[in-house]
Amino acid sequence: MKIVVLVKEVPDTYGDRKLNLETGLADRAASESVLDEIGERSLEVALSHADKNPGTEVVVLSMAPESAAATVRKGLAMGAASAVQIVDEELLGADMGLTAEVLAAALQKIGFDLVIAGNQSTDGSGGMIASMVAELLDVPAATSLNSVEITDAAVSGERATDGGTAEVTAQLPAVISITERLPDARFPNFKGIMAAKKKPFETMSLADLAIDPHDADASRSIVIAISEKPPRAAGVKIVDEGDAGEKLAEFLIENRLV
């Protein structure tokens, strides 16, 4: 079985996060970049299955700038057999549509039985990449799973719903996304870090995937304006002079809060 895990480099959640007001993009120089935690948990699901099932191949796949190679390589140190990184300057500021298109094309090229992703990244928080990739690949998707069970023919798990929980199953090949209910990822040990330096690490470009990021027929999202959040203004103070209740009601009605 070949399991491909989608991982992403993101700004550290413990650092400052800022948008560049000229480009509308995240200022990644404002904080340290790390492998997204939900991606690490996704990789842990794949590696745990591989530990119990010899012959399982685990591949990490990421669309990231060239500078993210060391971060992606952490997946190899954790235990993945190989890594594929899609690098192209034309992908700077790519929206979810282009991102899903690129990832789907790469998955078709490298092959897969199961694709595992996080339910949403900690930077963009789009939460739709797994579903969009599955749609482009024309395979079933089981998203936001709180538990995962993988067999040779299918993948299943539990998903939370408004009324309780639901058990979902998808026949392979398939795409799934997992939540933070899954276990924490393992830490790379010294042996794994040294072994990662010798593992296959392939780099692809848009030309390799035959994708035109400026395709006029493709749907794309763009930022047309951005501004800094205004400073917090002083709140409205109501002094009770016997009519505080009326003033409060008027304020709520005026601001459409009731």
Side-chain angles (χ1 to χ4, degrees), residues 96-106 133 136 210-212 215 218 220:
M96 287 196 296
L98 179 56
T99 299
E101 185 180 345
V102 169
L103 292 174
V133 168
L136 291 170
I211 292 178
D212 177 10
D215 184 359
R220 299 283 184 257

Side-chain angles (χ1 to χ4, degrees), residues 103-164:
L103 292 174
L107 287 164
Q108 288 178 319
K109 195 175 183 69
I110 64 181
F112 66 95
D113 294 299
L114 176 63
V115 179
I116 305 178
N119 60 335
Q120 64 179 25
S121 64
T122 56
D123 55 354
S125 300
M128 293 300 296
I129 289 296
S131 298
M132 295 170 76
V133 168
E135 177 70 17
L136 291 170
L137 294 173
D138 194 24
V139 299
T143 56
S144 297
L145 300 182
N146 292 329
S147 65
V148 177
E149 183 69 30
I150 304 170
T151 68
D152 291 338
V155 58
S156 58
E158 178 188 278
R159 175 196 293 151
T161 67
D162 291 339

Side-chain angles (χ1 to χ4, degrees), residues 67-211:
S67 59
T71 302
V72 176
R73 198 174 290 277
K74 181 182 178 181
L76 297 177
M78 290 172 63
S82 61
V84 177
Q85 183 178 352
I86 306 159
V87 180
D88 200 297
E89 292 184 357
E90 293 286 347
L91 290 172
L92 180 64
D95 67 348
M96 287 196 296
L98 179 56
T99 299
E101 185 180 345
V102 169
L103 292 174
L107 287 164
Q108 288 178 319
K109 195 175 183 69
I110 64 181
F112 66 95
D113 294 299
L114 176 63
V115 179
I116 305 178
N119 60 335
Q120 64 179 25
S121 64
T122 56
D123 55 354
S125 300
M128 293 300 296
I129 289 296
S131 298
M132 295 170 76
V133 168
E135 177 70 17
L136 291 170
L137 294 173
D138 194 24
V139 299
T143 56
S144 297
L145 300 182
N146 292 329
S147 65
V148 177
E149 183 69 30
I150 304 170
T151 68
D152 291 338
V155 58
S156 58
E158 178 188 278
R159 175 196 293 151
T161 67
D162 291 339
T165 59
E167 289 290 335
V168 296
T169 301
Q171 297 298 309
L172 300 182
V175 176
I176 67 169
S177 67
I178 59 103
T179 71
E180 292 184 350
R181 291 284 298 275
L182 272 294
D184 291 334
R186 64 191 68 186
F187 288 101
N189 54 34
F190 180 75
K191 182 179 179 181
I193 294 172
M194 296 305 295
K197 298 179 180 180
K198 300 180 180 179
K199 291 181 178 179
F201 193 113
E202 183 181 0
T203 301
M204 294 182 182
S205 67
L206 288 175
D208 296 326
L209 300 174
I211 292 178

